[in-house]
Amino acid sequence: MRLLILGGTTEASALARHLAGRQDFAPILSMAGRTKNPIAPPIPYRIGGFGGVEGLKRYLAENRIDLVVDATHPFAEQMSANAVQACGETGIPLAVLTRPAWRPGPGDNWHFVPSMDAAARALGPAKRRVFLTVGGLQLAAFAAAPQHHYLVRTIETPEAIASLPDHRLILARGPFALEDEVALMRDARIEVLVTKNSGGSATEAKLEAARTLGIGVILVERPAVADVPAFEDVEALIGWIEDHRPSP
Ligand code: NAP
């Protein structure tokens, strides 16, 4: 069974590990190419965009793909929309592998906002010390709030970093340990954490650290999802894939 996995996430890597070595699957993992040194997956992979919906449809046909798993990040809105359209138009089954959104618990002081621009506005007019963990691509939204001090953490140096006049950049890739997050936020005298509601355990410790230190959190909510079968568990997804195995 020829399976295209749209990846760039821990979920996609977990699925790749699960399928590696299985003789009844011919999976290929697709990554956008945003990270210059991605961790090499244990299955065949390709890197780079397809060229929109038409490019993806062409790729699916040329590679005789039987089924697509969208295991992109919950905020990778464009790729997911392209997959829905391309699979809809070609009749290729599509499933989503995702992670549950984070939910506040007792002791949390979370403020939900619909967009990055709204997050920048929610910081308010007075200077604050902000821990910004929203990824590199959307940093530019915070140029509209230049009065704040930003501690920015990304995997690679983001292009837009220069648009924040008062910042300190940390380059690091999760998972992060709770005690390290507490120490980082305490030592940097952070007053508020800004993050996307990505979900998942690899980067959850910062939320626990904020709770421990009594720091408020601004969470950018996830984009709306299409009506596609969605799984949070690899085993359940594999069951669905088996049900869609083309007859020989
Ligand atoms: P996006 O805005 O949804 O996608 C923009 C374009 O990048 C797509 O139209 C597609 O180009 C290409 N693309 C995206 N994912 C791809 C994939 N897995 N394989 C091949 N091409 C892909 O995506 P994004 O937010 O820039 O995210 C890029 C990648 O980083 C995704 O793989 C995502 O899983 C990962 N990631 C994103 C975030 C986030 O917060 N957005 C966080 C962690 C990881 P074409 O139209 O040319 O096909």
Side-chain angles (χ1 to χ4, degrees):
M1 188 178 201
R2 298 179 64 81
L3 195 68
L4 174 66
I5 304 166
L6 302 171
T9 57
T10 18
E11 288 68 31
S13 303
L15 178 60
R17 278 196 303 278
H18 200 92
L19 295 177
R22 273 188 67 159
Q23 300 306 314
D24 51 342
F25 285 103
I28 178 149
L29 177 63
S30 176
M31 295 175 282
R34 300 276 188 276
T35 313
K36 287 191 196 79
N37 56 345
I39 298 161
I43 59 171
Y45 63 97
R46 65 170 296 287
I47 295 180
F50 297 95
V53 174
E54 290 311 313
L56 179 55
K57 280 165 62 180
R58 211 166 29 247
Y59 180 89
L60 296 173
E62 282 170 2
N63 292 276
R64 293 177 288 109
I65 298 297
D66 296 309
L67 195 141
V68 178
V69 175
D70 175 7
T72 56
H73 191 270
F75 281 81
E77 219 174 338
Q78 187 61 55
M79 188 67 251
S80 294
N82 290 359
V84 168
Q85 194 178 334
C87 289
E89 290 176 14
T90 53
I92 295 175
L94 168 69
V96 168
L97 178 63
T98 188
R99 45 178 106 160
W102 290 316
R103 294 275 160 249
D108 281 327
N109 172 17
W110 292 11
H111 177 60
F112 289 92
V113 292
S115 67
M116 233 24 101
D117 292 340
R121 282 195 299 274
L123 289 170
K127 177 182 171 101
R128 298 173 86 186
R129 297 183 66 83
V130 184
F131 186 21
L132 199 53
T133 64
V134 295
L137 297 175
Q138 287 168 296
L139 277 189
F142 295 87
Q147 69 274 31
H148 304 297
H149 169 77
Y150 294 102
L151 174 64
V152 180
R153 184 169 65 198
T154 52
I155 295 177
E156 290 171 353
T157 304
E159 272 178 30
I161 192 70
S163 63
L164 304 180
D166 180 5
H167 75 261
R168 174 156 77 94
L169 177 66
I170 303 175
L171 300 180
R173 193 199 301 259
F176 301 103
L178 174 61
E179 59 270 29
D180 295 338
E181 297 292 62
V182 169
L184 176 68
M185 289 161 74
R186 193 189 44 224
D187 295 350
R189 293 177 288 115
I190 293 301
E191 295 166 306
V192 58
L193 164 67
V194 181
T195 180
K196 293 185 279 201
N197 195 345
S198 301
S201 56
T203 55
E204 196 175 13
K206 63 191 169 193
L207 295 167
E208 219 176 311
R211 185 185 314 139
T212 306
L213 296 168
I215 290 170
V217 182
I218 296 173
L219 271 110
V220 181
E221 289 185 288
R222 294 175 171 205
V225 289
D227 188 15
V228 171
F231 300 88
E232 292 174 354
D233 171 72
V234 169
E235 296 287 347
L237 170 70
I238 298 285
W240 184 89
I241 292 173
E242 294 291 2
D243 291 345
H244 289 78
R245 192 178 276 282
S247 37

